[in-house]
Amino acid sequence: MAFQKAVKGTILVGGGALVTVLGLSQFAHYRRKQMNLAYVKAADYISEPVNREPPSREAQLLTLQNTSEFDILVIGGGATGSGCALDAVTRGLKTALVERDDFSSGTSSRSTKLIHGGVRYLQKAIMKLDIEQYRMVKEALHERANLLEIAPHLSAPLPIMLPVYKWWQLPYYWVGIKLYDLVAGSNCLKSSYVLSKSRALEHFPMLQKDKLVGAIVYYDGQHNDARMNLAIALTAARYGAATANYMEVVSLLKKTDPQTGKVRVSGARCKDVLTGQEFDVRAKCVINATGPFTDSVRKMDDKDAAAICQPSAGVHIVMPGYYSPESMGLLDPATSDGRVIFFLPWQKMTIAGTTDTPTDVTHHPIPSEEDINFILNEVRNYLSCDVEVRRGDVLAAWSGIRPLVTDPKSADTQSISRNHVVDISESGLITIAGGKWTTYRSMAEDTINAAIKTHDLKAGPSRTVGLFLQGGKDWSPTLYIRLVQDYGLESEVAQHLAATYGDKAFEVAKMASVTGKRWPIVGVRLVSEFPYIEAEVKYGIKEYACTAVDMISRRTRLAFLNVQAAEEALPRIVELMGRELNWDDYKKQEQLETARKFLYYEMGYKSRSEQLTDRSEISLLPSDIDRYKKRFHKFDADQKGFITIVDVQRVLESINVQMDENTLHEILNEVDLNKNGQVELNEFLQLMSAIQKGRVSGSRLAILMKTAEENLDRRVPIPVDRSCGGL
């Protein structure tokens, strides 16, 4: 078995952020002034895409079935697999891409949302005089610059602060960060700089003040990982690659080479997960780009193949935006167990992570409470004691499985570098394993180079450096203004569409429904506090969305931002998708249940809900218990011992507040532990106890009842002598 070491990458990244106008302007400026990439844009030598829009999934399936033989068949629709398909098709190779789930449904959508070269790997390279680590960082910094160039709507530079609490660390870190800039060379986004203690607190006011010496700020990139992955796959489809999600490889096809007598991989038996239909897809070369599932595909080829991947779980959490400044991230270079933690603004929220622990490969990784609390504890170490870091403020959490390339005997995943390896089996199956988000393009280039050489394919050099991804070519920082002016969208919605779809945002705007209001004219939101609109659901189907989970997690990022908001939006999303895809009532209910299960287990809803269970102890002072009982009995006027929707509606009507029944049902359901349609006194007291402990925050029922009580108390009866004698 031949192993070919590929160009090195960098630390696992990924990401997405709703970029501010200021950030976009800065990016455009730096791109013109400082990002002088040392290459001739290969895109200049590529003809325009063969398709103005990606063909429908049905058309792609017909192409897969009716093509006698492809040059390249890529298995896996993550960043690397999609990158391989794009690299191959732009070289003129007849290309197919199949993905068992949805594009970016695995590791590629669950990253730290960063595009970076790996500061800590540069440190290792210097400390250990490791030339391979240095090359890995150098390559990643080049790829960082290219990715910011080809998808400007989905990515932007982000300043990251490294707080310093010991004087001797200041010059040490300063030299390291300056070397990072130096290695980047012409690809440096912006020079790093030092901040005094007072200036650091101006930029990051919630930072721990005690013993703070100063801070160093350096620049890396941030992006919307799932949307970036999708843009790569859609671009490959537009250039002619037959791409299809929900196509599972059941087995590999093989044939005997008449010249050598060797058995060679010649394609794959594929199954449409949505319909159950199976058919063969034949190809001269098959590429295994399945991330954590690398070894399972290799064992399809050779059941005795040794494992080359050691999966590692990385958990991230999302917290309210007020935990961090809008345009400044934070790096904790040395946590309590030696890991690195990032604390970053992301789509007007705050993302914190990651962990790095050995794990088993699974299709549905679940964030553990232990990992969530580890991240929260590290965050507490860096934030001011004035900021109470509450478990209840975790709005979403997820676990991603990194496919690290390792010696099977190794047990310490933290010491494994993120290099990638191209493996060629005896039967010609080519596997690309390891790596990270930043270097997906160079990984794809190395893989296709190996495929061309191994299978004697006729193709030229890679052409993906400088090749714009879908939405990037005609994007500009001010594009959103045209959306506001031409279509009557809210400014926040317009900025979101421009930063998500780039120059394709106009197509989404054309689908937007009229609101019936004076302003905005069009653009009905799915949930009030997020800029996602109903038109995105219809457009998402054009982008190969097949399920409600696709829509809430990857076409929009709602599930990654707030699981409760995602659950609230689900019924409307399913209704809209059902209308477009002709789902019957049974199918709609199935989609709802599947999506809710996804939110419950994979997006942290289970961990969140377990903070309030029917076994939760009530630890309140007697005075607090009396106060909360009085509040409860103002709703439970009949002294039943529980409250229902009718009770809440009655109180709200008495203070002239209107709220629809569905919303009230959702609010009570959050606290209704035994799901009997009513909230008992004990459940209410458990809720208030959990809120006091910080395990639960943002309970709509608690806020609603407190507000109603205050309004009721203000309604003092008018004395008879002040009402004209009571006539």
Side-chain angles (χ1 to χ4, degrees):
M1 184 176 293
F3 283 89
Q4 300 178 350
K5 280 205 172 179
V7 180
K8 310 307 176 190
T10 177
I11 191 170
L12 179 77
V13 299
L18 185 59
V19 189
T20 63
V21 181
L22 176 61
L24 294 174
S25 301
Q26 287 176 335
F27 170 58
H29 174 73
Y30 299 142
R31 188 175 66 180
R32 290 193 302 269
K33 300 294 184 181
Q34 293 179 297
M35 293 178 62
N36 181 23
L37 300 178
Y39 58 74
V40 177
K41 290 187 177 179
D44 295 339
Y45 301 98
I46 303 176
S47 60
E48 286 296 308
V50 295
N51 301 304
R52 182 179 179 276
E53 298 296 334
S56 67
R57 183 175 182 273
E58 290 71 22
Q60 298 284 37
L61 293 179
L62 288 174
T63 302
L64 287 172
Q65 288 178 273
N66 298 331
T67 301
S68 58
E69 186 180 48
F70 289 94
D71 294 318
I72 298 280
L73 168 61
V74 182
I75 306 173
T80 305
S82 298
C84 287
L86 180 58
D87 189 282
V89 76
T90 51
R91 297 194 198 200
L93 295 170
K94 192 179 295 184
T95 306
L97 168 68
V98 293
E99 160 61 42
R100 175 180 51 197
D101 203 313
D102 184 29
F103 301 113
S104 192
S105 59
T107 306
S108 296
S109 64
R110 303 173 189 233
S111 66
T112 312
K113 322 305 177 196
L114 284 176
I115 317 169
H116 57 117
V119 172
R120 65 171 176 158
Y121 292 124
L122 182 60
Q123 179 190 25
K124 290 180 180 179
I126 295 170
M127 299 294 290
K128 299 181 180 180
L129 299 178
D130 189 336
I131 190 65
E132 291 299 315
Q133 293 271 9
Y134 171 79
R135 288 173 179 167
M136 182 178 71
V137 175
K138 182 76 173 176
E139 176 68 17
L141 288 169
H142 173 268
E143 293 301 323
R144 178 188 71 176
N146 182 66
L147 195 50
L148 289 167
E149 180 83 6
I150 65 177
H153 58 303
L154 292 170
S155 58
L158 176 71
I160 300 175
M161 179 183 292
L162 198 162
V164 180
Y165 288 90
K166 296 178 181 178
W167 281 107
W168 68 265
Q169 290 179 334
L170 197 60
Y172 175 76
Y173 287 140
W174 172 243
V175 170
I177 294 297
K178 274 302 173 185
L179 282 172
Y180 191 59
D181 291 348
L182 185 64
V183 172
S186 61
N187 295 327
C188 180
L189 303 182
K190 188 180 180 183
S191 294
S192 56
Y193 55 91
V194 176
L195 290 174
S196 65
K197 176 178 179 178
S198 59
R199 291 285 291 163
L201 292 172
E202 282 182 27
H203 286 281
F204 213 116
M206 55 285 293
L207 199 61
Q208 175 65 260
K209 302 171 188 169
D210 296 342
K211 298 181 181 180
L212 181 67
V213 172
I216 299 170
V217 176
Y218 73 97
Y219 282 76
D220 259 323
Q222 189 176 50
H223 73 160
N224 187 332
D225 54 0
R227 293 295 316 182
M228 185 74 80
N229 191 160
L230 187 62
I232 299 167
L234 292 172
T235 305
R238 291 183 63 206
Y239 275 96
T243 61
N245 54 353
Y246 292 99
M247 288 297 297
E248 180 181 5
V249 170
V250 178
S251 61
L252 296 177
L253 305 177
K254 294 188 176 183
K255 67 178 181 181
T256 302
D257 189 326
Q259 296 180 342
T260 63
K262 291 184 177 181
V263 176
R264 309 288 285 178
V265 172
S266 60
R269 180 73 174 176
C270 296
K271 176 183 177 181
D272 186 340
V273 175
L274 302 179
T275 65
Q277 180 187 13
E278 292 189 13
F279 54 86
D280 292 339
V281 178
R282 300 195 175 275
K284 296 173 183 175
C285 172
V286 176
I287 293 173
N288 171 19
T290 53
F293 302 95
T294 292
D295 288 325
S296 63
V297 175
R298 292 177 67 249
K299 288 182 184 297
M300 283 186 188
D301 173 42
D302 177 7
K303 60 183 177 59
D304 297 321
I308 63 172
C309 279
Q310 180 172 322
S312 168
V315 171
H316 295 81
I317 63 174
V318 169
M319 306 173 77
Y322 54 71
Y323 273 95
S324 67
E326 288 186 9
S327 58
M328 179 75 75
L330 182 76
L331 168 65
D332 178 357
T335 63
S336 57
D337 67 350
R339 292 183 280 198
V340 172
I341 289 286
F342 285 98
F343 193 62
L344 310 167
W346 182 62
Q347 299 218 353
K348 297 189 176 180
M349 297 295 185
T350 300
I351 180 173
T354 178
T355 59
D356 189 2
T357 52
T359 186
D360 295 325
V361 176
T362 173
H363 295 296
H364 307 289
I366 300 172
S368 71
E369 188 63 26
E370 180 183 357
D371 284 332
I372 292 172
N373 283 320
F374 167 79
I375 296 172
L376 287 173
N377 287 332
E378 295 303 325
V379 168
R380 289 186 184 101
N381 291 337
Y382 271 81
L383 295 190
S384 168
C385 57
D386 296 335
V387 180
E388 183 184 356
V389 180
R390 304 181 297 181
R391 174 60 182 83
D393 283 338
V394 177
L395 304 174
W398 66 86
S399 176
I401 302 178
R402 303 188 192 93
L404 306 181
V405 182
T406 181
D407 181 338
K409 297 178 181 178
S410 174
D412 179 14
T413 62
Q414 295 177 55
S415 64
I416 302 171
S417 65
R418 269 62 172 171
N419 302 345
H420 64 268
V421 168
V422 176
D423 167 37
I424 305 171
S425 75
E426 293 294 331
S427 62
L429 174 69
I430 294 181
T431 295
I432 172 66
K436 45 268 159 190
W437 233 117
T438 304
T439 56
Y440 86 90
R441 193 212 62 81
S442 63
M443 292 165 64
E445 180 180 345
D446 293 338
T447 306
I448 302 304
N449 285 343
I452 291 170
K453 182 178 179 180
T454 303
H455 294 273
D456 195 26
L457 303 176
K458 306 303 179 185
S462 176
R463 296 175 173 178
T464 51
V465 173
L467 177 67
F468 279 108
L469 299 182
Q470 171 153 310
K473 187 174 183 180
D474 296 321
W475 173 89
S476 72
T478 57
L479 183 146
Y480 82 95
I481 297 175
R482 289 171 53 198
L483 292 171
V484 175
Q485 294 176 335
D486 294 352
Y487 294 94
L489 289 162
E490 291 176 84
S491 181
E492 184 186 14
V493 171
Q495 289 181 46
H496 153 66
L497 294 181
T500 302
Y501 304 95
D503 58 28
K504 298 294 182 182
F506 295 99
E507 296 181 19
V508 183
K510 289 175 185 176
M511 297 179 177
S513 303
V514 176
T515 64
K517 303 176 183 178
R518 184 180 62 81
W519 189 264
I521 298 171
V522 300
V524 178
R525 296 195 183 206
L526 289 169
V527 283
S528 60
E529 64 266 42
F530 290 94
Y532 301 110
I533 59 174
E534 292 183 354
E536 293 180 77
V537 178
K538 187 176 181 180
Y539 190 79
I541 294 171
K542 293 179 62 176
E543 295 182 323
Y544 304 135
C546 300
T547 70
V549 172
D550 297 344
M551 202 65 68
I552 62 174
S553 59
R554 293 173 287 273
R555 301 311 180 278
T556 70
R557 305 313 307 275
L558 197 51
F560 282 77
L561 294 170
N562 190 313
V563 287
Q564 283 188 268
E567 186 182 40
E568 288 175 26
L570 264 178
R572 182 57 177 161
I573 288 173
V574 169
E575 181 184 345
L576 293 168
M577 292 189 75
R579 191 181 303 165
E580 295 294 321
L581 298 173
N582 298 315
W583 290 344
D584 57 22
D585 289 342
Y586 176 81
K587 181 69 173 179
K588 290 178 184 178
Q589 188 60 36
E590 181 184 58
Q591 286 291 314
L592 273 173
E593 291 174 0
T594 301
R596 283 171 177 155
K597 185 177 180 181
F598 168 79
L599 291 173
Y600 187 75
Y601 289 105
E602 296 184 52
M603 288 291 109
Y605 212 160
K606 180 176 185 289
S607 294
R608 181 180 173 88
S609 63
E610 283 179 348
Q611 299 308 303
L612 179 63
T613 69
D614 56 359
R615 296 180 299 276
S616 298
E617 63 177 21
I618 300 172
S619 56
L620 294 169
L621 295 173
S623 58
D624 289 332
I625 293 177
D626 290 340
R627 177 159 52 94
Y628 294 137
K629 279 184 176 179
K630 288 178 182 178
R631 182 177 301 172
F632 184 86
H633 290 313
K634 288 189 178 182
F635 285 78
D636 180 21
D638 300 328
Q639 302 294 305
K640 304 182 298 296
F642 60 85
I643 57 176
T644 64
I645 289 177
V646 175
D647 295 316
V648 178
Q649 283 178 326
R650 174 183 51 77
V651 174
L652 293 181
E653 288 173 2
S654 71
I655 58 174
N656 298 318
V657 173
Q658 299 294 323
M659 190 171 292
D660 67 88
E661 189 171 326
N662 288 333
T663 302
L664 282 175
H665 177 76
E666 291 171 1
I667 291 173
L668 263 68
N669 193 51
E670 293 172 8
V671 186
D672 182 11
L673 301 175
N674 53 18
K675 304 303 177 188
N676 61 356
Q678 55 197 34
V679 176
E680 284 94 8
L681 174 60
N682 190 57
E683 290 174 328
F684 180 66
L685 292 177
Q686 288 177 44
L687 169 66
M688 302 313 297
S689 179
I691 289 173
Q692 281 198 5
K693 291 179 180 178
R695 296 202 310 264
V696 171
S697 65
S699 168
R700 293 183 293 176
L701 180 63
I703 294 171
L704 178 65
M705 292 178 71
K706 180 181 179 181
T707 304
E709 181 186 43
E710 290 171 350
N711 279 302
L712 287 170
D713 290 343
R714 280 198 293 266
R715 296 177 61 197
V716 180
I718 301 175
V720 174
D721 61 349
R722 293 188 58 193
S723 61
C724 300
L727 298 176

